[in-house]
Short mmCIF file of all heavy atoms in Angstrom, two decimals:
data_model
loop_
_atom_site.label_atom_id
_atom_site.label_comp_id
_atom_site.label_asym_id
_atom_site.label_seq_id
_atom_site.Cartn_x
_atom_site.Cartn_y
_atom_site.Cartn_z
N LEU A 245 -0.79 -17.59 -21.15
CA LEU A 245 0.41 -18.10 -21.81
C LEU A 245 1.66 -17.68 -21.05
O LEU A 245 2.59 -18.47 -20.85
CB LEU A 245 0.48 -17.59 -23.25
CG LEU A 245 -0.66 -18.04 -24.18
CD1 LEU A 245 -0.51 -17.38 -25.54
CD2 LEU A 245 -0.68 -19.55 -24.33
N ILE A 246 1.68 -16.42 -20.61
CA ILE A 246 2.83 -15.91 -19.87
C ILE A 246 2.95 -16.59 -18.51
O ILE A 246 4.04 -16.94 -18.07
CB ILE A 246 2.72 -14.38 -19.70
CG1 ILE A 246 2.81 -13.71 -21.08
CG2 ILE A 246 3.79 -13.83 -18.77
CD1 ILE A 246 2.53 -12.23 -21.06
N LEU A 247 1.81 -16.82 -17.86
CA LEU A 247 1.82 -17.47 -16.56
C LEU A 247 2.40 -18.89 -16.63
O LEU A 247 2.99 -19.37 -15.66
CB LEU A 247 0.40 -17.53 -15.98
CG LEU A 247 -0.23 -16.20 -15.58
CD1 LEU A 247 -1.70 -16.39 -15.26
CD2 LEU A 247 0.49 -15.59 -14.39
N ASN A 248 2.22 -19.54 -17.77
CA ASN A 248 2.69 -20.92 -17.92
C ASN A 248 4.18 -21.03 -18.23
O ASN A 248 4.73 -22.13 -18.23
CB ASN A 248 1.90 -21.62 -19.04
CG ASN A 248 0.64 -22.29 -18.52
OD1 ASN A 248 0.71 -23.19 -17.67
ND2 ASN A 248 -0.51 -21.86 -19.00
N LEU A 249 4.84 -19.91 -18.49
CA LEU A 249 6.25 -19.95 -18.84
C LEU A 249 7.10 -20.46 -17.67
O LEU A 249 6.74 -20.28 -16.51
CB LEU A 249 6.73 -18.54 -19.23
CG LEU A 249 6.16 -17.97 -20.53
CD1 LEU A 249 6.56 -16.50 -20.66
CD2 LEU A 249 6.65 -18.77 -21.74
N PRO A 250 8.24 -21.06 -17.97
CA PRO A 250 9.18 -21.46 -16.89
C PRO A 250 9.59 -20.25 -16.07
O PRO A 250 9.58 -19.11 -16.56
CB PRO A 250 10.37 -22.04 -17.67
CG PRO A 250 9.79 -22.48 -18.98
CD PRO A 250 8.71 -21.49 -19.30
N ASN A 251 9.97 -20.48 -14.84
CA ASN A 251 10.26 -19.39 -13.91
C ASN A 251 11.28 -18.39 -14.43
O ASN A 251 11.11 -17.18 -14.30
CB ASN A 251 10.74 -19.96 -12.57
CG ASN A 251 9.61 -20.57 -11.77
OD1 ASN A 251 8.45 -20.21 -11.94
ND2 ASN A 251 9.95 -21.51 -10.91
N VAL A 252 12.35 -18.87 -15.04
CA VAL A 252 13.42 -17.98 -15.49
C VAL A 252 12.90 -17.01 -16.54
O VAL A 252 13.14 -15.80 -16.48
CB VAL A 252 14.61 -18.79 -16.05
CG1 VAL A 252 15.65 -17.84 -16.65
CG2 VAL A 252 15.25 -19.62 -14.94
N ILE A 253 12.14 -17.53 -17.51
CA ILE A 253 11.61 -16.68 -18.58
C ILE A 253 10.50 -15.77 -18.04
O ILE A 253 10.43 -14.58 -18.38
CB ILE A 253 11.08 -17.55 -19.74
CG1 ILE A 253 12.19 -18.45 -20.27
CG2 ILE A 253 10.51 -16.67 -20.86
CD1 ILE A 253 11.74 -19.43 -21.32
N PHE A 254 9.64 -16.33 -17.18
CA PHE A 254 8.56 -15.53 -16.60
C PHE A 254 9.11 -14.34 -15.83
O PHE A 254 8.59 -13.23 -15.93
CB PHE A 254 7.71 -16.40 -15.67
CG PHE A 254 6.65 -15.64 -14.93
CD1 PHE A 254 5.46 -15.28 -15.55
CD2 PHE A 254 6.83 -15.24 -13.60
CE1 PHE A 254 4.47 -14.56 -14.88
CE2 PHE A 254 5.86 -14.53 -12.92
CZ PHE A 254 4.68 -14.18 -13.57
N LYS A 255 10.16 -14.56 -15.08
CA LYS A 255 10.73 -13.48 -14.28
C LYS A 255 11.23 -12.34 -15.15
O LYS A 255 11.07 -11.16 -14.80
CB LYS A 255 11.89 -14.02 -13.42
CG LYS A 255 12.44 -13.01 -12.42
CD LYS A 255 13.48 -13.65 -11.52
CE LYS A 255 14.00 -12.65 -10.49
NZ LYS A 255 15.01 -13.26 -9.59
N ILE A 256 11.79 -12.66 -16.30
CA ILE A 256 12.29 -11.62 -17.21
C ILE A 256 11.14 -10.85 -17.85
O ILE A 256 11.14 -9.62 -17.89
CB ILE A 256 13.18 -12.26 -18.30
CG1 ILE A 256 14.43 -12.87 -17.66
CG2 ILE A 256 13.55 -11.23 -19.36
CD1 ILE A 256 15.25 -13.71 -18.61
N ILE A 257 10.14 -11.59 -18.34
CA ILE A 257 9.03 -10.97 -19.07
C ILE A 257 8.11 -10.19 -18.15
O ILE A 257 7.56 -9.16 -18.55
CB ILE A 257 8.24 -12.06 -19.84
CG1 ILE A 257 9.12 -12.63 -20.95
CG2 ILE A 257 6.93 -11.51 -20.40
CD1 ILE A 257 8.47 -13.73 -21.74
N SER A 258 7.96 -10.65 -16.93
CA SER A 258 6.92 -10.07 -16.05
C SER A 258 7.52 -9.26 -14.90
O SER A 258 6.97 -9.26 -13.81
CB SER A 258 6.06 -11.20 -15.48
OG SER A 258 6.86 -12.07 -14.69
N ARG A 259 8.61 -8.57 -15.16
CA ARG A 259 9.22 -7.79 -14.09
C ARG A 259 8.24 -6.80 -13.48
O ARG A 259 8.21 -6.59 -12.27
CB ARG A 259 10.46 -7.08 -14.62
CG ARG A 259 11.66 -8.00 -14.76
CD ARG A 259 12.84 -7.31 -15.40
NE ARG A 259 13.97 -8.22 -15.51
CZ ARG A 259 15.04 -7.99 -16.23
NH1 ARG A 259 15.13 -6.87 -16.93
NH2 ARG A 259 16.02 -8.86 -16.28
N LYS A 260 7.42 -6.17 -14.33
CA LYS A 260 6.46 -5.19 -13.80
C LYS A 260 5.39 -5.89 -12.97
O LYS A 260 4.93 -5.38 -11.96
CB LYS A 260 5.82 -4.40 -14.94
CG LYS A 260 4.99 -3.22 -14.46
CD LYS A 260 4.57 -2.33 -15.59
CE LYS A 260 3.80 -1.13 -15.05
NZ LYS A 260 3.36 -0.21 -16.14
N MET A 261 4.98 -7.09 -13.40
CA MET A 261 3.97 -7.84 -12.65
C MET A 261 4.46 -8.16 -11.25
O MET A 261 3.68 -8.19 -10.29
CB MET A 261 3.62 -9.14 -13.39
CG MET A 261 2.51 -9.96 -12.76
SD MET A 261 2.22 -11.54 -13.60
CE MET A 261 1.62 -10.97 -15.18
N LEU A 262 5.76 -8.39 -11.12
CA LEU A 262 6.33 -8.76 -9.83
C LEU A 262 6.85 -7.54 -9.06
O LEU A 262 7.39 -7.69 -7.96
CB LEU A 262 7.46 -9.77 -10.02
CG LEU A 262 7.02 -11.14 -10.57
CD1 LEU A 262 8.23 -12.03 -10.79
CD2 LEU A 262 6.02 -11.82 -9.67
N ALA A 263 6.67 -6.34 -9.66
CA ALA A 263 7.12 -5.11 -8.98
C ALA A 263 6.08 -4.67 -7.98
O ALA A 263 5.40 -3.67 -8.13
CB ALA A 263 7.38 -4.01 -10.01
N ILE A 264 5.91 -5.49 -6.95
CA ILE A 264 4.92 -5.22 -5.91
C ILE A 264 5.60 -5.35 -4.56
O ILE A 264 6.70 -5.87 -4.44
CB ILE A 264 3.72 -6.20 -6.00
CG1 ILE A 264 4.20 -7.66 -5.89
CG2 ILE A 264 2.95 -6.00 -7.29
CD1 ILE A 264 3.10 -8.68 -5.97
N ASP A 265 4.92 -4.86 -3.56
CA ASP A 265 5.44 -4.97 -2.20
C ASP A 265 5.70 -6.45 -1.88
O ASP A 265 4.80 -7.28 -2.04
CB ASP A 265 4.41 -4.38 -1.24
CG ASP A 265 4.96 -4.22 0.17
OD1 ASP A 265 5.56 -5.19 0.67
OD2 ASP A 265 4.80 -3.15 0.75
N PRO A 266 6.88 -6.81 -1.44
CA PRO A 266 7.19 -8.22 -1.16
C PRO A 266 6.27 -8.85 -0.12
O PRO A 266 6.13 -10.08 -0.08
CB PRO A 266 8.64 -8.17 -0.65
CG PRO A 266 9.21 -6.93 -1.22
CD PRO A 266 8.06 -5.95 -1.26
N LEU A 267 5.64 -8.03 0.72
CA LEU A 267 4.76 -8.56 1.76
C LEU A 267 3.29 -8.50 1.39
O LEU A 267 2.43 -8.93 2.16
CB LEU A 267 5.00 -7.81 3.08
CG LEU A 267 6.41 -7.90 3.66
CD1 LEU A 267 6.50 -7.11 4.96
CD2 LEU A 267 6.83 -9.36 3.90
N ALA A 268 2.97 -7.93 0.21
CA ALA A 268 1.56 -7.77 -0.17
C ALA A 268 0.87 -9.11 -0.33
O ALA A 268 1.43 -10.05 -0.90
CB ALA A 268 1.47 -6.97 -1.46
N ARG A 269 -0.34 -9.20 0.18
CA ARG A 269 -1.17 -10.39 0.04
C ARG A 269 -2.53 -9.96 -0.49
O ARG A 269 -2.90 -8.80 -0.40
CB ARG A 269 -1.35 -11.09 1.40
CG ARG A 269 -0.04 -11.52 2.05
CD ARG A 269 -0.27 -12.00 3.48
NE ARG A 269 0.98 -12.29 4.17
CZ ARG A 269 1.56 -13.48 4.23
NH1 ARG A 269 0.97 -14.51 3.66
NH2 ARG A 269 2.70 -13.65 4.85
N SER A 270 -3.28 -10.91 -1.03
CA SER A 270 -4.62 -10.58 -1.51
C SER A 270 -5.54 -10.32 -0.33
O SER A 270 -5.33 -10.84 0.78
CB SER A 270 -5.18 -11.73 -2.35
OG SER A 270 -5.42 -12.86 -1.54
N SER A 271 -6.58 -9.52 -0.55
CA SER A 271 -7.56 -9.26 0.50
C SER A 271 -8.26 -10.55 0.90
O SER A 271 -8.70 -10.70 2.05
CB SER A 271 -8.58 -8.22 0.03
OG SER A 271 -9.23 -8.66 -1.16
N MET A 272 -8.37 -11.49 -0.04
CA MET A 272 -9.01 -12.77 0.28
C MET A 272 -8.18 -13.55 1.29
O MET A 272 -8.72 -14.19 2.20
CB MET A 272 -9.23 -13.58 -1.00
CG MET A 272 -10.14 -14.79 -0.80
SD MET A 272 -10.58 -15.59 -2.37
CE MET A 272 -11.61 -14.34 -3.14
N GLN A 273 -6.86 -13.50 1.14
CA GLN A 273 -6.01 -14.16 2.12
C GLN A 273 -6.12 -13.47 3.49
O GLN A 273 -6.17 -14.14 4.53
CB GLN A 273 -4.54 -14.16 1.67
CG GLN A 273 -3.65 -14.98 2.60
CD GLN A 273 -2.20 -15.05 2.15
OE1 GLN A 273 -1.30 -15.19 2.97
NE2 GLN A 273 -1.95 -14.97 0.85
N ASP A 274 -6.19 -12.14 3.48
CA ASP A 274 -6.38 -11.41 4.73
C ASP A 274 -7.68 -11.82 5.41
O ASP A 274 -7.73 -12.00 6.64
CB ASP A 274 -6.37 -9.91 4.48
CG ASP A 274 -4.99 -9.37 4.13
OD1 ASP A 274 -4.00 -10.06 4.44
OD2 ASP A 274 -4.90 -8.29 3.55
N ASP A 275 -8.74 -11.98 4.61
CA ASP A 275 -10.04 -12.37 5.18
C ASP A 275 -9.98 -13.76 5.79
O ASP A 275 -10.50 -14.00 6.89
CB ASP A 275 -11.13 -12.31 4.10
CG ASP A 275 -11.55 -10.89 3.76
OD1 ASP A 275 -11.30 -9.98 4.57
OD2 ASP A 275 -12.11 -10.68 2.67
N LEU A 276 -9.36 -14.70 5.08
CA LEU A 276 -9.25 -16.06 5.63
C LEU A 276 -8.44 -16.06 6.93
O LEU A 276 -8.82 -16.72 7.90
CB LEU A 276 -8.57 -16.99 4.61
CG LEU A 276 -9.43 -17.52 3.46
CD1 LEU A 276 -8.61 -18.53 2.66
CD2 LEU A 276 -10.72 -18.16 3.96
N SER A 277 -7.37 -15.30 6.94
CA SER A 277 -6.53 -15.24 8.13
C SER A 277 -7.27 -14.65 9.32
O SER A 277 -7.02 -15.02 10.46
CB SER A 277 -5.26 -14.42 7.85
OG SER A 277 -4.49 -15.03 6.84
N ALA A 278 -8.19 -13.72 9.02
CA ALA A 278 -8.95 -13.06 10.08
C ALA A 278 -10.24 -13.81 10.43
O ALA A 278 -11.01 -13.35 11.28
CB ALA A 278 -9.29 -11.63 9.66
N GLY A 279 -10.48 -14.95 9.77
CA GLY A 279 -11.68 -15.73 10.05
C GLY A 279 -12.95 -15.11 9.48
O GLY A 279 -14.05 -15.38 9.96
N LYS A 280 -12.81 -14.29 8.43
CA LYS A 280 -13.97 -13.63 7.82
C LYS A 280 -14.38 -14.36 6.54
O LYS A 280 -13.60 -15.08 5.92
CB LYS A 280 -13.62 -12.18 7.46
CG LYS A 280 -13.23 -11.31 8.64
CD LYS A 280 -12.87 -9.91 8.14
CE LYS A 280 -12.44 -9.00 9.26
NZ LYS A 280 -12.04 -7.66 8.75
N HIS A 281 -15.65 -14.13 6.14
CA HIS A 281 -16.09 -14.62 4.84
C HIS A 281 -15.43 -13.81 3.75
O HIS A 281 -15.20 -12.60 3.89
CB HIS A 281 -17.61 -14.54 4.72
CG HIS A 281 -18.34 -15.58 5.51
ND1 HIS A 281 -18.28 -16.92 5.21
CD2 HIS A 281 -19.12 -15.47 6.60
CE1 HIS A 281 -18.99 -17.60 6.08
NE2 HIS A 281 -19.52 -16.75 6.95
N THR A 282 -15.11 -14.45 2.64
CA THR A 282 -14.43 -13.79 1.54
C THR A 282 -15.45 -13.32 0.48
O THR A 282 -16.65 -13.56 0.60
CB THR A 282 -13.45 -14.76 0.86
OG1 THR A 282 -14.19 -15.77 0.15
CG2 THR A 282 -12.55 -15.43 1.89
N GLU A 283 -14.91 -12.69 -0.56
CA GLU A 283 -15.76 -12.25 -1.69
C GLU A 283 -15.65 -13.22 -2.85
O GLU A 283 -15.83 -12.83 -4.00
CB GLU A 283 -15.35 -10.84 -2.14
CG GLU A 283 -15.75 -9.76 -1.16
CD GLU A 283 -15.65 -8.36 -1.76
OE1 GLU A 283 -14.52 -7.95 -2.08
OE2 GLU A 283 -16.69 -7.71 -1.94
N ILE A 284 -15.41 -14.47 -2.58
CA ILE A 284 -15.24 -15.47 -3.63
C ILE A 284 -16.47 -15.53 -4.55
O ILE A 284 -16.35 -15.75 -5.76
CB ILE A 284 -14.94 -16.87 -3.02
CG1 ILE A 284 -14.52 -17.87 -4.10
CG2 ILE A 284 -16.12 -17.40 -2.22
CD1 ILE A 284 -13.15 -17.61 -4.67
N ASP A 285 -17.68 -15.31 -3.99
CA ASP A 285 -18.90 -15.38 -4.80
C ASP A 285 -18.99 -14.23 -5.80
O ASP A 285 -19.80 -14.29 -6.72
CB ASP A 285 -20.14 -15.40 -3.91
CG ASP A 285 -20.30 -16.72 -3.17
OD1 ASP A 285 -19.88 -17.75 -3.74
OD2 ASP A 285 -20.83 -16.73 -2.06
N TRP A 286 -18.21 -13.17 -5.59
CA TRP A 286 -18.25 -12.02 -6.49
C TRP A 286 -17.00 -11.94 -7.36
O TRP A 286 -16.80 -10.95 -8.06
CB TRP A 286 -18.46 -10.73 -5.69
CG TRP A 286 -19.87 -10.61 -5.24
CD1 TRP A 286 -20.90 -10.01 -5.89
CD2 TRP A 286 -20.43 -11.16 -4.05
NE1 TRP A 286 -22.07 -10.16 -5.18
CE2 TRP A 286 -21.81 -10.87 -4.05
CE3 TRP A 286 -19.89 -11.90 -2.98
CZ2 TRP A 286 -22.65 -11.25 -3.02
CZ3 TRP A 286 -20.74 -12.30 -1.97
CH2 TRP A 286 -22.10 -11.97 -1.98
N ILE A 287 -16.21 -13.00 -7.32
CA ILE A 287 -15.04 -13.07 -8.21
C ILE A 287 -15.19 -14.35 -9.03
O ILE A 287 -15.74 -14.34 -10.12
CB ILE A 287 -13.73 -13.01 -7.41
CG1 ILE A 287 -13.66 -11.68 -6.62
CG2 ILE A 287 -12.53 -13.11 -8.36
CD1 ILE A 287 -12.47 -11.54 -5.72
N ASN A 288 -14.74 -15.47 -8.51
CA ASN A 288 -14.93 -16.73 -9.23
C ASN A 288 -16.41 -17.06 -9.40
O ASN A 288 -16.80 -17.68 -10.39
CB ASN A 288 -14.22 -17.87 -8.49
CG ASN A 288 -12.74 -17.59 -8.28
OD1 ASN A 288 -12.40 -16.75 -7.46
ND2 ASN A 288 -11.88 -18.29 -9.01
N GLY A 289 -17.22 -16.64 -8.42
CA GLY A 289 -18.66 -16.88 -8.52
C GLY A 289 -19.29 -16.18 -9.71
O GLY A 289 -20.27 -16.68 -10.29
N GLU A 290 -18.74 -15.04 -10.12
CA GLU A 290 -19.25 -14.35 -11.31
C GLU A 290 -19.01 -15.19 -12.56
O GLU A 290 -19.83 -15.22 -13.49
CB GLU A 290 -18.58 -12.99 -11.47
CG GLU A 290 -18.89 -11.98 -10.36
CD GLU A 290 -20.24 -11.30 -10.53
OE1 GLU A 290 -21.11 -11.84 -11.24
OE2 GLU A 290 -20.43 -10.22 -9.92
N VAL A 291 -17.89 -15.91 -12.60
CA VAL A 291 -17.59 -16.79 -13.73
C VAL A 291 -18.60 -17.93 -13.79
O VAL A 291 -19.10 -18.28 -14.86
CB VAL A 291 -16.16 -17.35 -13.60
CG1 VAL A 291 -15.85 -18.26 -14.79
CG2 VAL A 291 -15.14 -16.22 -13.52
N ILE A 292 -18.93 -18.47 -12.63
CA ILE A 292 -19.89 -19.57 -12.57
C ILE A 292 -21.26 -19.08 -13.05
O ILE A 292 -21.95 -19.78 -13.82
CB ILE A 292 -19.98 -20.12 -11.13
CG1 ILE A 292 -18.64 -20.73 -10.73
CG2 ILE A 292 -21.09 -21.16 -11.01
CD1 ILE A 292 -18.52 -21.07 -9.25
#
Side-chain angles (χ1 to χ4, degrees):
L245 298 176
I246 295 172
L247 292 170
N248 271 299
L249 292 171
N251 286 335
V252 174
I253 302 175
F254 175 79
K255 187 174 181 179
I256 295 171
I257 292 178
S258 62
R259 282 175 180 167
K260 189 170 183 180
M261 184 184 294
L262 294 177
I264 58 180
D265 190 312
L267 299 180
R269 301 171 186 267
S270 68
S271 58
M272 192 172 292
Q273 186 178 151
D274 288 341
D275 285 340
L276 281 186
S277 297
K280 299 178 181 178
H281 286 293
T282 70
E283 288 194 295
I284 190 72
D285 288 329
W286 284 270
I287 300 176
N288 304 73
E290 295 280 20
V291 180
I292 296 169

